[in-house]
Amino acid sequence: MSEEDVRGDGGLEARLEEEATFEPPESFVEQANVTDESIYEEFEENWPECWERAADFLEWDRAYDEVLVEDDAPTYQWFTGGKLNASYNCLDRHVEDGRGDAVAIEWEGELGETRTYTYGDLLEEVEAFAAALRDLGVEEDDIVTMYMPMVPELPIAMLACARIGAPHSVVFAGFSAEALATRMNAADSEHLVTCDGYYRRGDALDHLSKTNEGLADVEQDATTVVVDRLGDDLEHSLTEGQHDYDGLVAAHEGASVEPVSRDAEDMLFMMYTSGTTGQPKGVKHTTGGYLAYAAWTGHAVLDIKPEDTYWCSADIGWITGHSYIVYGPLALGTTTLMYEGTPDYPEKDRFWELVEEYEVDIFYTAPTAIRAFMKWGTEYPEAHDLSSLRLLGTVGEPINPRAWKWYYEHIGGEACPIVDTWWQTETGGHIITTLPGICEMKPGAAGPGLPGLDVRVVDTAGEEVEPGNAGYLTIDKPWPAMLRTLYRNDERFVSEYWQEYSDPDADEWVYFPEDGAKIDEDGYITVLGRVDDVINVSGHRLGTMELESAIVATAGVAEAAVVGGDHEIKGEAVYAYVIPEDGYEGGEELEDKIVDNVVEGIGPIAKPEDVIFTPELPKTRSGKIMRRLLEDIASGNELGNTSTLRNPEVVEEIAAQVQEE
Ligand code: WTA
């Protein structure tokens, strides 16, 4: 594989030109949670028992018998025989330790209203809502869907479910009604927690109508709880089977709900994510391994301390928010900041205003946001005192050295290490990154695998590539937060992740994350992007198949191919190549319909950057669409060899048309 074969490498050249390394600032090292570099060796020599160190971050109702059981590989089991409750670990034990008055969640709405929940407050509301859920008929192991924006009731609902042993499935609020219905149906979920609406750039958005539209397509009856977020700004009425959140909590005020003791391997939650086929995958995470790992990585990588104010600007609707807004930070007893809105409302300094106001110690965001900040200019961060910051992090996509340096200089004031964390919904927590109190940083390279992780870059035959060459990323040893299966689809679990490089006959299992990467002499890994049919738009995973099926559902569309092309801010953007049906014209009218269908089918994040109409798609002689060429056209790259095509002339035609536009 050459570097060009790997998608999503926006600005790779610029990234590789840079060789400079940065030592972690001394002031940081002096106080860092993890500073002893022997940890790498220690974990390797003492594997898998090294993971007891992660389990020690939790309080167990019953001690586990074994750290790792490999009998059912690749479904590994961690901390077997152990029992615990996630909500107890995130709430009660801190209160019992006398930290009931410490702040758990600082929340700020887009319009500037604020709410503060101490650990004591949070526990009280979680118990009340847990009691309410039980009254509504939620039982242990029932899957409760949540379709909510960044309001405190979302983590409260998650923790209430965890308390009674009901796994949650959070659907990103920006997803469409159809996406909600697909996920509820796939999980047979009979319970939903949602809200009336939320604010975006000052406007009140109606979320309940979208929810109801989705519910109309849900096959089973669903009990629904609705949070009233907008008050008088959006009148709403509840239908039968819908309950008002505040009313329920008031009715159960003061309730005491014993945390249900769950097996370490019991499901804590599942999260749907995009893959190669159109059907989203329900990634299953467990109570013991996941929570231990979220806490451990929060401690070791993000350097979280209980007295910190920690801010991850992701949305809880994605895995980053699950692991590093809710579970990791709360298990560690810190203050986690939640912000409802966008970074440019009311002004482009909103994030820096928040950092100053809350004296944020740790800030974790996505490269796409950093690229936007760069474009807006340094005057916005310069207008604020950011000296409270101690550590910066990035997640979701590759960060190029220019953006890295901008972040380092203009946000971190050259005094904060940056952790560039590579991981996935499936991995549950960080996999590749530097340990900030130990490792030097190389802008553009995420770092080595974390202690205890066996990360490699291999060729198609599974052999490790020479430093400097591009290859495929693999993880050759299991880790506690790994997904256990795809919900109701064990077969797909094996075929998606374990087929490529494993040797089942020898019982040797290698996890394939479907990313391309390169590794340097020091074992630092530069992740190059997805090698499957997944596009990474602003750090959000979208499957090309999902996009294509939304497009071909439009009247007048005969065939469509969707690819990711480079985008200055988003990293990658969606480009759709469409063949109109006979009798239809490819023009603005059809384009609008296509865009509407994508937004309706998936959500606004999936909106195509451009729709290119063409009488034909470039195909190989065997009839396969040559996506590489379409990607090159979208990214404005030089076009590769077209001689293997059945219809080479069409490539030039499409390219010329795109240039004209
Ligand atoms: C990409 C998000 C480069 C990668 C936590 C992965 C990254 C996909 C990085 C997972 C990074 C994530 N550098 N690429 N630091 N972090 N990715 O499941 O392609 O939404 O496979 O999880 O994002 O996306 P997901």
Side-chain angles (χ1 to χ4, degrees), residues 82-96:
K83 281 182 164 278
L84 76 165
N85 181 279
S87 117
Y88 176 84
N89 271 282
C90 290
L91 303 170
D92 308 53
R93 63 165 168 157
H94 305 312
V95 176
E96 287 166 15

Side-chain angles (χ1 to χ4, degrees), residues 415-436:
C416 304
I418 296 177
V419 286
D420 170 359
T421 59
W422 179 92
W423 58 294
Q424 307 180 296
T425 305
E426 292 87 342
T427 71
H430 306 144
I431 298 289
I432 305 171
T433 179
T434 49
L435 282 176

Side-chain angles (χ1 to χ4, degrees), residues 273 318-320 367 394-399 420-426 432 446 513-515 527-530 536 539-541:
T273 188
W318 309 105
I319 191 71
T320 304
T394 72
V395 55
E397 343 143 50
I399 178 164
D420 170 359
T421 59
W422 179 92
W423 58 294
Q424 307 180 296
T425 305
E426 292 87 342
I432 305 171
E514 303 188 83
D515 269 20
V527 177
L528 300 170
R530 305 283 307 188
N536 190 337
H540 302 145
R541 270 165 77 166

Side-chain angles (χ1 to χ4, degrees), residues 164-179:
I164 58 174
H168 51 74
S169 163
V170 179
V171 178
F172 174 56
F175 272 146
S176 64
E178 203 177 311

Side-chain angles (χ1 to χ4, degrees), residues 428-540:
H430 306 144
I431 298 289
I432 305 171
T433 179
T434 49
L435 282 176
I438 297 175
C439 306
E440 62 176 23
M441 297 166 272
K442 300 188 186 189
L450 280 173
L453 272 294
D454 185 357
V455 181
R456 302 182 188 188
V457 179
V458 302
D459 60 21
T460 43
E463 297 298 324
E464 284 185 70
V465 299
E466 290 294 317
N469 291 343
Y472 300 96
L473 204 60
T474 60
I475 311 177
D476 289 49
K477 265 189 204 153
W479 65 101
M482 66 198 305
L483 80 165
R484 298 304 193 268
T485 192
L486 293 177
Y487 190 65
R488 292 186 172 164
N489 207 338
D490 297 335
E491 242 165 71
R492 190 171 173 198
F493 166 66
V494 176
S495 65
E496 287 256 350
Y497 306 107
W498 303 96
Q499 199 129 297
E500 214 70 32
Y501 293 106
S502 302
D503 182 359
D505 296 332
D507 204 20
E508 275 170 23
W509 298 96
V510 173
Y511 175 83
F512 179 44
E514 303 188 83
D515 269 20
K518 49 197 293 172
I519 190 161
D520 73 8
E521 306 277 349
D522 302 322
Y524 275 54
I525 291 169
T526 296
V527 177
L528 300 170
R530 305 283 307 188
V531 294
D532 59 359
D533 294 327
V534 169
I535 306 177
N536 190 337
V537 180
S538 303
H540 302 145

